[in-house]
Amino acid sequence: HYNINLNLTLRGALNVNALRASLDTITARHDILRTHFVQGEDGQVLQHVDTQAGVAIEHVDLQAFPPSEQADAVTARVQ
């Protein structure tokens, strides 16, 4: 498996714009993070490197869940 899911527990205020900018900078620097595979007309699998790729950040507010259920809510979302 090449996809790695990651969840973080953050406390305090999060500067989402700074996080997004940091991840975009890392993605811009490393071609492999912008690479995917497509099937050509002849059926051959080809590697394609995007010139630009932004990182999607999904914000999920778990405050509606009791603290004892928050970890289970995260696990249910990433599976």
Side-chain angles (χ1 to χ4, degrees):
H1 298 277
Y2 293 103
N3 293 323
I4 300 172
N5 287 322
L6 171 72
N7 65 39
L8 302 170
T9 301
L10 302 173
R11 302 192 194 296
L14 173 64
N15 184 334
V16 176
N17 291 330
L19 176 62
R20 183 176 290 113
S22 298
L23 294 173
D24 286 346
T25 298
I26 292 167
T27 303
R29 190 174 296 155
H30 299 283
D31 291 349
I32 192 64
L33 298 176
R34 299 185 320 275
T35 301
H36 64 276
F37 297 92
V38 296
Q39 189 168 13
E41 293 179 14
D42 61 355
Q44 180 117 3
V45 177
L46 305 169
Q47 179 179 341
H48 178 78
V49 180
D50 290 326
T51 56
Q52 292 182 338
V55 176
I57 298 176
E58 181 182 5
H59 178 254
V60 179
D61 187 348
L62 298 175
Q63 293 181 55
F65 292 92
S68 60
E69 295 177 18
Q70 289 177 358
D72 291 336
V74 170
T75 301
R77 290 191 65 85
V78 297
Q79 290 184 343

